[in-house]
Amino acid sequence: MADSSFDVVSKVDKMEAENALNQAAKEIEQRYDFKGVGASVAFSGEDVLIKASTEERALAVLDVLQTKAIKRGISLKSLDAGDPFPSGKEFRIEVSFKNGIEQDIAKKIGAFIRAEAPKTVKSQVQGDELRVSSKSRDDLQQTIQLLKGQEFDVPLQFINFR
């Protein structure tokens, strides 16, 4: 019998990110405390650009975006928000969505699998994801539960279980 496997990835669903951004923009447009402060949130290429007249308002807009992202099922670990910086008469914050598992984190996950998972389970880094394989599907399911219980710097999803 051939080995069973699954992939460990860290990806943000583009549609969910867009929906969270649109909901945040709608709330910012309607909220009384954002009237007249030039508060806005919009995509600028792949990243999100937050603008407001003061640093506190920019951080409040970021909080609204984070709240909407959580409601749409996007982990805050996958949001990478910079510090507010002045740009002319306004403050800006650049927020990016992290996709993929970095090499050092993938190595940590692989070391964790070698140390804690059943002995038949093997892992291999493939680009920005991790392939985990074993002859036993039960061992793979046990490994998924171990990884879900462990805290890493990125949100993990498990795909292609075969």
Side-chain angles (χ1 to χ4, degrees):
M1 185 174 146
D3 283 1
S4 298
S5 68
F6 67 89
D7 294 333
V8 180
V9 297
S10 178
K11 294 188 174 152
V12 175
D13 184 4
K14 277 207 174 299
M15 287 309 297
E16 290 298 335
E18 203 171 301
N19 289 340
L21 182 76
N22 290 338
Q23 287 177 347
K26 193 176 288 187
E27 181 173 327
I28 290 163
E29 205 173 279
Q30 294 174 349
R31 270 183 40 181
Y32 176 76
D33 57 336
F34 288 124
K35 297 280 188 224
V37 295
S40 69
V41 58
F43 270 117
S44 65
E46 287 290 308
D47 298 336
V48 175
L49 184 63
I50 294 173
K51 299 178 188 177
S53 60
T54 66
E55 185 175 350
E56 291 78 27
R57 286 288 134 222
L59 291 172
V61 171
L62 175 63
D63 185 50
V64 170
L65 177 64
Q66 289 174 336
T67 303
K68 297 301 179 185
I70 290 171
K71 286 184 180 177
R72 300 299 305 185
I74 299 172
S75 172
L76 289 184
K77 291 179 191 175
S78 59
L79 284 178
D80 188 19
D83 292 328
F85 62 92
S87 175
K89 293 184 177 180
E90 64 188 10
F91 281 83
R92 295 180 176 198
I93 301 175
E94 292 178 349
V95 181
S96 61
F97 293 100
K98 296 181 197 171
N99 277 316
I101 301 174
E102 296 175 11
Q103 287 290 338
D104 57 329
I105 296 173
K107 288 179 183 177
K108 284 181 190 175
I109 295 170
F112 174 77
I113 289 172
R114 280 192 301 281
E116 302 294 328
K119 298 299 175 204
T120 62
V121 176
K122 306 285 182 240
S123 66
Q124 178 181 7
V125 177
Q126 294 182 338
D128 61 351
E129 58 186 45
L130 196 71
R131 167 79 38 96
V132 181
S133 60
S134 174
K135 291 202 182 297
S136 168
R137 293 175 73 93
D138 291 338
D139 288 350
L140 289 177
Q141 289 176 339
Q142 184 179 350
T143 303
I144 289 175
Q145 292 307 314
L146 285 170
L147 289 172
K148 283 183 178 178
Q150 194 65 20
E151 192 64 36
F152 295 102
D153 294 339
V154 293
L156 300 179
Q157 293 93 30
F158 308 99
I159 60 172
N160 298 337
F161 192 93
R162 30 182 120 96

